[in-house]
Amino acid sequence: MKPKIADVAKVAGVSPTTVSRVLNNRGYIGEETRVKVHNAMKELNYYPNEVARSLFIRKTFLIGLIFPTTSNPFYGQLIFHIENIAAALGYKVLLCNSQGRQDKEKEYLEMLQRNQVDGIIAGAHNKGIEEYEKPNLPVVGIDRYLSSAIPVISSDNYDGGKQATQLLIRKGCIKIIHINGPISLETPANLRRKAYEDVMIKHNLTPITYEMETYGTDNSEIIKRLFDENPEVEGVFASDDIIASQVIKEAKSRNYNIPSKLKIIGYDGTETKKLMMPELSTIEQPISRIAEKAVELLIKQIDSEWDGAPLETKLPVKLIDSDTTKK
Amino acid sequence: MKPKIADVAKVAGVSPTTVSRVLNNRGYIGEETRVKVHNAMKELNYYPNEVARSLFIRKTFLIGLIFPTTSNPFYGQLIFHIENIAAALGYKVLLCNSQGRQDKEKEYLEMLQRNQVDGIIAGAHNKGIEEYEKPNLPVVGIDRYLSSAIPVISSDNYDGGKQATQLLIRKGCIKIIHINGPISLETPANLRRKAYEDVMIKHNLTPITYEMETYGTDNSEIIKRLFDENPEVEGVFASDDIIASQVIKEAKSRNYNIPSKLKIIGYDGTETKKLMMPELSTIEQPISRIAEKAVELLIKQIDSEWDGAPLETKLPVKLIDSDTTKK
DNA sequence: TTGTATGCGTTATCAG
DNA sequence: CTGATAACGCATACAA
């Protein structure tokens, strides 16, 4: 059986209270007793039981993470940073892959409450989860509007969309098409589309946006349709690098030369993307800064130090002008 | 304040014990009281406190996960599946990114013990962590020998290395070079190298292996050296797809035509790789099956149903013969 | 079928 | 400077 405070106390010849005091460096303790207790702890290989501790202090130092899937390098990298920063601040993370499924997200939300997490960072969202409306718990959203009172962290999606579109225009593209996720999901990422449309119109060009199905669906049909309906396309701004990679694949199979005939730019710019497809131009999100801000804001809420603002934080993106947008 | 069993009991007009019984479906309970209790729970929006429950039953249904980083798509995908399967079996996961650092791994190991996790699945390992030697806790390793008593799950690394090497030979390569991680780290992945060497020797070819530094280091120098020292190289078997992508990049910058002049095959075959670099040939690991086996074996240990065998489980790989190994 | 008393391992309060 | 006692929220043995 695992040793508990009482066992340590017995070995050290003191009371459980004293052991607890040594453990938490609380109140005054004699130097001798401190040494005795430390020795006893070492001898028994004692570890304090955080579950009992959590129960008493009513705080777990646990943060719940709800994201679609760690399989996607963007979320993988984001979660890596979140976990890291949280760990540095004494918090642990409970991981949930919602797979974009509303039922799963609801279940996880309940599970996290039962497990008394101190707060939640969520990047998954299927509209209409009323649980977020009455947040009896600190929550921070990443690229997702969860409810009117929940702060959101994201990259500067409008600026990103603007830079991407402007780059294609600057490189001489006229017929430029945008591919985005479902607009019904009201995410800040919709601003990428808005910026694309604004820039196109400003340049007297016609915006055409193809909309993808929700997460997890096979989108190759939509991309095929894009090429069938617009054989003369010169530029594609895909709302993430994975979609961009699918566009590249389809374009190659149709013998479009990239970048001379067709230029492509994506969005995200993960480390994995940089290694696996360095040739793809993209808008790089400041993933580690997003993670930092999210954790910072969540912990502020947990410590009741948050005054309700800012409700929206937009972090600057970085244009990566690589081979797929060469002139 | 969050409602507790006593509050529900008061509203329902019964004793706390009865509420607990309804909650756990234990013993006999009158239909009326059951309804009354359920109503009270709904009215108060009651969620049982799993922390208190865990303390009492001395079980948390928590699994600790220690891996280098979720940023890497292989670990990201593996963790995705592990979390999924665990969730289906009523277990939650606590995520730890050790970044290949021994000090971090030790800290995490202690943290997980303090938090009373029921078991640990670890894919990170820096030699010489004696904590694994006296496992007072169920542990399963993935692609890592942790200690003589800890079971390991991995892909069939030897067969994978064999298939990769044989493919290159079959496609006409003579001068074939292998790139692997540090051999000092005694992982089953070393079998990829062993298989490569065996196959090469069997075909009267000279095996040459370049060794990478440990995780996180910049390996581009090593790859440059490979090309400097072996300009006439015809085939490269990289021990993972990311290394393979770096080889491709360097080869392109030196104007090696792939696959006519140089053929390349990697290892892992994640979903991300399939999307981002479909042209790369690889040995695909059965990631979801590895996850399944690991969780299954861990829970068997937790339930004391494990008899100590098998100590090693090797799951079959799949050769993906794509563009980079075209003849 | 339901209620009372007790303890899971910890910390805070208050007394000594 | 140190110790006894109660409480965190829940589930079990035992009694009614």
Side-chain angles (χ1 to χ4, degrees):
Chain A
M1 212 58 261
K2 285 179 192 158
K4 46 187 175 186
I5 278 196
D7 301 319
V8 177
K10 199 164 290 174
V11 171
V14 297
S15 80
T17 310
T18 302
V19 176
S20 172
R21 278 209 186 83
V22 173
L23 225 44
N24 300 289
N25 257 320
R26 229 179 202 67
Y28 297 98
I29 7 178
E31 191 45 36
E32 292 185 70
T33 33
R34 154 173 276 127
V35 172
K36 274 194 299 186
V37 170
H38 274 132
N39 288 340
M41 295 197 308
K42 193 146 283 174
E43 184 184 333
L44 294 176
N45 194 245
Y46 169 80
Y47 291 102
N49 181 329
E50 292 292 333
V51 172
R53 182 171 230 243
S54 293
L55 177 61
F56 188 85
I57 65 177
R58 281 183 241 174
K59 168 150 186 174
T60 54
F61 288 94
L62 263 177
I63 294 176
L65 260 34
I66 308 183
F67 287 93
T69 170
T70 48
S71 251
N72 179 315
F74 175 71
Y75 294 115
Q77 191 173 333
L78 182 59
I79 289 169
F80 165 76
H81 283 115
I82 291 176
E83 189 277 326
N84 241 285
I85 297 161
L89 298 170
Y91 283 82
K92 301 144 276 181
V93 305
L94 217 48
L95 179 66
C96 307
N97 293 101
S98 64
Q99 299 178 59
R101 282 175 47 188
Q102 191 178 115
D103 56 330
K104 285 223 165 208
E105 184 160 5
K106 283 190 181 185
E107 272 177 41
Y108 278 129
L109 222 38
E110 185 184 324
M111 180 276 276
L112 293 174
Q113 314 235 111
R114 296 164 81 112
N115 284 277
Q116 315 298 120
V117 297
D118 293 337
I120 294 176
I121 298 178
H125 182 46
N126 304 281
K127 287 201 60 157
I129 297 195
E130 68 279 6
E131 279 78 356
Y132 284 120
E133 292 296 338
K134 44 169 172 56
N136 19 18
L137 191 73
V139 179
V140 169
I142 292 186
D143 250 356
R144 294 286 186 275
Y145 298 121
L146 298 170
S147 95
S148 52
I150 295 177
V152 183
I153 317 287
S154 66
S155 69
D156 190 335
N157 285 290
Y158 190 88
D159 187 54
K162 191 171 143 190
Q163 287 197 50
T165 313
Q166 286 177 338
L167 178 72
L168 292 174
I169 291 174
R170 207 158 61 232
K171 294 296 174 84
C173 301
I174 300 292
K175 177 103 186 186
I176 300 170
I177 294 179
H178 178 47
I179 311 181
N180 207 311
I183 201 171
S184 61
L185 239 170
E186 291 169 23
T187 81
N190 276 337
L191 291 172
R192 297 175 198 172
R193 176 211 287 241
K194 181 74 170 64
Y196 157 78
E197 290 171 349
D198 288 354
V199 171
M200 290 293 280
I201 288 168
K202 194 177 159 200
H203 286 258
N204 287 313
L205 300 174
T206 315
I208 304 177
T209 299
Y210 277 74
E211 203 167 300
M212 306 247 107
E213 299 301 313
T214 72
Y215 175 83
T217 326
D218 179 15
N219 293 310
S220 55
E221 285 311 314
I222 293 169
I223 292 168
K224 281 197 175 67
R225 196 156 55 73
L226 183 156
F227 281 99
D228 287 343
E229 294 172 359
N230 308 274
E232 74 293 7
V233 56
E234 295 168 322
V236 171
F237 166 32
S239 67
D240 73 54
D241 294 331
I242 291 191
I243 295 176
S245 76
Q246 293 173 284
V247 172
I248 291 175
K249 189 181 173 190
E250 184 64 25
K252 279 185 180 165
S253 83
R254 292 181 186 231
N255 290 314
Y256 280 66
N257 189 300
I258 299 172
S260 67
K261 171 149 189 197
L262 175 66
K263 305 195 199 315
I264 301 177
I265 183 166
Y267 204 105
D268 282 353
T270 60
E271 289 303 315
T272 299
K273 177 266 159 201
K274 287 184 196 168
L275 290 165
M276 290 194 170
M277 27 187 348
E279 72 283 0
L280 174 63
S281 295
T282 193
I283 301 293
E284 182 183 336
Q285 296 206 47
I287 302 186
S288 70
R289 294 197 53 205
I290 292 174
E292 266 170 41
K293 273 286 171 201
V295 174
E296 178 190 322
L297 210 51
L298 186 73
I299 294 186
K300 258 194 187 153
Q301 286 185 63
I302 293 174
D303 294 342
S304 315
E305 285 170 1
W306 191 57
D307 59 2
L311 218 41
E312 231 176 311
T313 305
K314 300 180 184 184
L315 274 2
V317 297
K318 184 175 157 196
L319 172 68
I320 298 188
D321 183 2
S322 186
D323 299 347
T324 61
T325 48
K326 276 259 157 53
K327 217 163 185 175
Chain B
M1 214 59 258
K2 285 180 189 155
K4 44 187 179 187
I5 277 195
D7 300 319
V8 177
K10 198 163 289 175
V11 171
V14 297
S15 82
T17 310
T18 304
V19 177
S20 173
R21 281 210 185 82
V22 173
L23 226 43
N24 300 291
N25 258 320
R26 228 181 203 67
Y28 297 97
I29 6 177
E31 191 47 35
E32 292 183 70
T33 32
R34 156 174 274 126
V35 173
K36 273 194 300 186
V37 170
H38 274 132
N39 287 340
M41 295 198 307
K42 192 147 286 177
E43 185 185 332
L44 295 175
N45 193 246
Y46 170 79
Y47 291 102
N49 182 328
E50 292 292 333
V51 171
R53 180 172 230 253
S54 293
L55 177 60
F56 186 86
I57 65 177
R58 280 181 235 171
K59 168 152 185 171
T60 54
F61 288 96
L62 262 177
I63 294 176
L65 260 36
I66 308 183
F67 287 93
T69 170
T70 49
S71 251
N72 180 314
F74 175 71
Y75 294 116
Q77 190 173 334
L78 183 59
I79 288 169
F80 166 75
H81 283 113
I82 291 176
E83 189 276 327
N84 242 283
I85 296 160
L89 297 170
Y91 283 83
K92 300 144 281 182
V93 305
L94 216 49
L95 179 66
C96 307
N97 293 101
S98 64
Q99 300 178 60
R101 282 175 46 188
Q102 193 179 113
D103 55 331
K104 285 223 165 207
E105 184 160 6
K106 283 190 181 184
E107 272 176 42
Y108 278 129
L109 222 40
E110 185 183 325
M111 181 276 278
L112 293 174
Q113 312 236 112
R114 296 164 82 112
N115 284 277
Q116 314 298 121
V117 297
D118 293 338
I120 293 175
I121 298 179
H125 182 47
N126 304 282
K127 289 203 58 158
I129 297 196
E130 69 278 8
E131 279 78 355
Y132 285 120
E133 292 296 337
K134 45 169 172 53
N136 19 17
L137 191 73
V139 180
V140 170
I142 291 187
D143 249 357
R144 292 289 186 276
Y145 298 120
L146 299 171
S147 95
S148 52
I150 295 178
V152 183
I153 317 287
S154 66
S155 69
D156 190 335
N157 286 290
Y158 190 89
D159 187 54
K162 190 170 144 191
Q163 287 198 49
T165 313
Q166 286 177 337
L167 178 73
L168 291 174
I169 292 174
R170 205 159 63 233
K171 293 298 174 82
C173 301
I174 299 293
K175 177 100 184 186
I176 300 171
I177 294 179
H178 177 48
I179 310 181
N180 206 313
I183 201 171
S184 61
L185 239 169
E186 290 169 25
T187 82
N190 277 337
L191 292 171
R192 297 175 197 170
R193 175 211 287 241
K194 181 76 168 67
Y196 157 78
E197 290 171 349
D198 287 355
V199 171
M200 290 293 280
I201 288 167
K202 195 178 158 200
H203 286 258
N204 287 314
L205 300 174
T206 315
I208 304 177
T209 299
Y210 277 74
E211 203 166 300
M212 304 248 106
E213 299 303 311
T214 70
Y215 175 83
T217 325
D218 179 16
N219 292 311
S220 55
E221 285 310 313
I222 294 170
I223 292 169
K224 282 197 174 67
R225 195 156 56 73
L226 182 157
F227 281 99
D228 287 343
E229 295 172 357
N230 308 273
E232 74 292 9
V233 55
E234 295 168 323
V236 170
F237 165 32
S239 66
D240 72 55
D241 294 331
I242 289 190
I243 296 176
S245 75
Q246 294 173 284
V247 172
I248 291 175
K249 188 181 173 190
E250 183 64 25
K252 279 185 180 167
S253 84
R254 293 182 186 231
N255 291 314
Y256 280 66
N257 190 301
I258 299 172
S260 67
K261 169 148 193 201
L262 175 66
K263 305 195 198 317
I264 300 176
I265 183 166
Y267 204 106
D268 282 352
T270 60
E271 289 303 317
T272 299
K273 177 267 160 201
K274 286 185 195 168
L275 290 164
M276 291 194 170
M277 25 187 348
E279 72 283 1
L280 174 65
S281 295
T282 193
I283 301 293
E284 182 183 337
Q285 295 206 48
I287 302 186
S288 70
R289 294 198 53 206
I290 291 174
E292 267 170 41
K293 273 287 170 202
V295 175
E296 179 191 321
L297 209 52
L298 186 73
I299 294 185
K300 258 193 186 154
Q301 286 185 62
I302 292 173
D303 294 341
S304 315
E305 285 170 1
W306 190 57
D307 58 2
L311 217 43
E312 232 178 311
T313 306
K314 300 179 184 186
L315 274 1
V317 297
K318 183 176 157 198
L319 174 68
I320 298 188
D321 183 3
S322 187
D323 298 347
T324 60
T325 48
K326 277 257 156 52
K327 218 165 182 172

